[in-house]
C-alpha cells in the first residue's frame, strides 16, 4: 500500500434459505449472498503507532461492538503472521446487526480481504473463508461456518459443516421479501439454548433435525426444477421445525403467516432467530404487497430483493 492510499474491500450480507441451527449438527444448509447489503472497509496507513478503528455508521459504538471489531482484526492479522498495522481502519455497513443477515461474518470477510491485501497475500475464497471463520469463532464460540462460507464465496451454496461448500446454480432468479421483526436476535444465545435442550432430549431433537434435513432436500430439488411453489412449501415446513426447536418468536410467526396469506409461496425466519428477520419467497408481482402486509403486521421494515442466477 502506498503511504496514504486507502485500501478498500467489501463483502455482502447473506440469507439462509434453509437449515439454520440444524447445520450446527451436520444437516446441510442452503445459503445465498445478498449483494445489495454490504460491509465496506477502508484501511489507510498512518504515522500514529496503532490501529485506529472508526465505525463509520455508528457515532457512539458500544464497547461490545468495538471489542468485536478489534478482536477480529487481532485474530486475522495474527493468523496472517503479523501484528496490528499502524493504520486507520474505517468500517461502514448497510447490513443490519443481530438480524440473521450475517453482519459479523460480512465484516470478518471484508477485514480478511483487507488485511491479506495489505500484507500482499493473495487469497482464494477458501482461504478467506478460513480466516474470516477463525475471527467469527473467536468472537462467537460455536458456529457452523455457514455465514462466512456464503459471504467469502459470494455465491449460492449448499453447506455442510467441515466439508468444502458446494456451489449450486439457481434455475432462475428468486424474489425475496426480507422483513425485520423489530426484535434483536442473539444467534450465540439461541445456538446455546438449542444445544442445552438437545442434550436433555436428544431423540426429540434428532427428529426435528431430520425434519429440517428433509425440508432442505426438497428445497434443493425445487431449486433445480425451478419450482417456486415447492420451494416455498419447503421453506414454510422448515419454519415449523424452527418453531419446534424454540427459535422463532410470536412476531416472526406472525410475519410468516401474513406473508403466506398475502400470496407468498412460503416464508420462514432466517438465521439464528429469537428476533431478526423473516423472509418470504414471493411471486414477482406480489412482492411489494407482501412487504406492505408484513409492515402492517408490525415489521420494522421490509425490503424486496432479487437473488439472480449470476449472484452477486
Ligand atoms: O448468524 P445468523 O444469525 O445468520 O445464524 C447463523 C446460522 C446458525 O445456524 C443459527 C448458527 C450457525 O453457526 O450455523
Amino acid at each position: 500500500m502506498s503511504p496514504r492510499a486507502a485500501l478498500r474491500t467489501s463483502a455482502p450480507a447473506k440469507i439462509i434459505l434453509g437449515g439454520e441451527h440444524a447445520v450446527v449438527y451436520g444437516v446441510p444448509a442452503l445459503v445465498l449472498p445478498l449483494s445489495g447489503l454490504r460491509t465496506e472497509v477502508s484501511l489507510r496507513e498512518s504515522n500514529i503507532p496503532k490501529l485506529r478503528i472508526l465505525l463509520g455508521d455508528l457515532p457512539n459504538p458500544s464497547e461490545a461492538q468495538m471489542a468485536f471489531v478489534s478482536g477480529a482484526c487481532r485474530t486475522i492479522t495474527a493468523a496472517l503472521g503479523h501484528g496490528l498495522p499502524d493504520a486507520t481502519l474505517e468500517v461502514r455497513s448497510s447490513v443490519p446487526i443481530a438480524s440473521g443477515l450475517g453482519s459479523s461474518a460480512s465484516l470478518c470477510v471484508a477485514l480478511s480481504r483487507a488485511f491479506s491485501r495489505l500484507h500482499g497475500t493473495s487469497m482464494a475464497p477458501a482461504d478467506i473463508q478460513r480466516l474470516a471463520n477463525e475471527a467469527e469463532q473467536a468472537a462467537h464460540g460455536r458456529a457452523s461456518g455457514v455465514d462466512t462460507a456464503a459471504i467469502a464465496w459470494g455465491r449460492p451454496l449448499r453447506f455442510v459443516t467441515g466439508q468444502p461448500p458446494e456451489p449450486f446454480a439457481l434455475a432462475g432468479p428468486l424474489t425475496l421479501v426480507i422483513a425485520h421483526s423489530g426484535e434483536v436476535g442473539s444467534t450465540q444465545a439461541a445456538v446455546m439454548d438449542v444445544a442445552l435442550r438437545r442434550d436433555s432430549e436428544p431423540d426429540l431433537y434428532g427428529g426435528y433435525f431430520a425434519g429440517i434435513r428433509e425440508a432442505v432436500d426438497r428445497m434443493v430439488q425445487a431449486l433445480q426444477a425451478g419450482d417456486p411453489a415447492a420451494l416455498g412449501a419447503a421453506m414454510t415446513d422448515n419454519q415449523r421445525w424452527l418453531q419446534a426447536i424454540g427459535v422463532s418468536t410470536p412476531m416472526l410467526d406472525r410475519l410468516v403467516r401474513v406473508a403466506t396469506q398475502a400470496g407468498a409461496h412460503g416464508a420462514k425466519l432466517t438465521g439464528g432467530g429469537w428476533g431478526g428477520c423473516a423472509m418470504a419467497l414471493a411471486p414477482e408481482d406480489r412482492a411489494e404487497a407482501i412487504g406492505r402486509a408484513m409492515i402492517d403486521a408490525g415489521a420494522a421494515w421490509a425490503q424486496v430483493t432479487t437473488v439472480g442466477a449470476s449472484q452477486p
Side-chain angles (χ1 to χ4, degrees):
M1 177 163 83
S2 66
R4 302 287 163 204
L7 187 161
R8 293 176 199 282
T9 60
S10 74
K14 70 95 209 357
I15 198 155
I16 299 181
L17 216 46
E20 54 272 89
H21 284 287
V23 68
V24 175
Y25 303 95
V27 172
L30 297 180
V31 60
L32 309 170
L34 287 180
S35 56
L37 296 172
R38 301 193 79 83
T39 304
E40 289 170 1
V41 157
S42 107
L43 197 55
R44 190 187 296 269
E45 273 184 331
S46 81
N47 300 326
I48 302 163
K50 65 172 194 169
L51 179 67
R52 191 164 150 253
I53 297 173
L54 304 174
L55 302 184
D57 310 285
L58 302 171
N60 297 307
S62 69
E63 268 183 39
Q65 285 162 335
M66 282 309 281
F68 177 77
V69 180
S70 62
C73 292
R74 256 176 237 291
T75 305
I76 292 165
T77 50
L80 288 165
H82 297 274
L84 292 174
D86 299 341
T88 299
L89 171 79
E90 192 166 354
V91 178
R92 289 185 179 275
S93 183
S94 56
V95 187
I97 57 173
S99 302
L101 299 178
S103 60
S104 63
S106 178
L107 172 70
C108 290
V109 168
L111 289 175
S112 299
R113 288 181 174 148
F115 287 118
S116 57
R117 270 181 47 198
L118 175 69
H119 294 299
T121 317
S122 141
M123 296 192 114
D127 303 313
I128 294 289
Q129 178 192 344
R130 224 177 355 260
L131 201 55
N133 207 42
E134 216 173 296
E136 272 266 280
Q137 296 273 2
H140 283 161
R142 185 167 195 169
S144 66
V146 62
D147 289 13
T148 42
I151 292 169
W153 287 81
R155 42 193 308 199
L157 297 178
R158 178 180 180 277
F159 176 88
V160 178
T161 304
Q163 295 181 14
E166 291 170 34
F168 65 84
L170 300 177
L174 302 178
T175 303
L176 301 175
V177 185
I178 303 171
H180 200 289
S181 62
E183 302 161 329
V184 176
S186 167
T187 298
Q188 192 181 10
V191 167
M192 279 166 56
D193 191 66
V194 171
L196 285 176
R197 281 184 280 110
R198 173 186 173 261
D199 284 349
S200 60
E201 295 184 287
D203 291 345
L204 186 65
Y205 275 71
Y208 294 156
F209 295 147
I212 294 177
R213 180 187 291 274
E214 192 261 345
V216 170
D217 288 347
R218 278 169 40 222
M219 287 181 205
V220 172
Q221 287 162 13
L223 282 162
Q224 282 164 349
D227 184 346
L231 178 58
M235 284 167 55
T236 305
D237 284 348
N238 191 158
Q239 170 65 15
R240 292 196 188 100
W241 295 114
L242 290 166
Q243 284 173 331
I245 67 169
V247 296
S248 195
T249 64
M251 177 53 87
L252 286 167
D253 291 343
R254 188 164 170 200
L255 296 178
V256 165
R257 201 169 49 245
V258 300
T260 40
Q261 282 165 356
H265 296 298
K268 60 184 274 295
L269 67 83
T270 186
W274 280 7
C277 290
M279 61 183 285
L281 179 67
E284 210 182 327
D285 60 348
R286 296 290 306 152
E288 292 295 337
I290 291 166
R292 275 198 302 278
M294 291 168 100
I295 297 264
D296 289 347
W301 52 258
Q303 148 171 350
V304 177
T305 185
T306 303
V307 184
S310 58
Q311 267 278 314

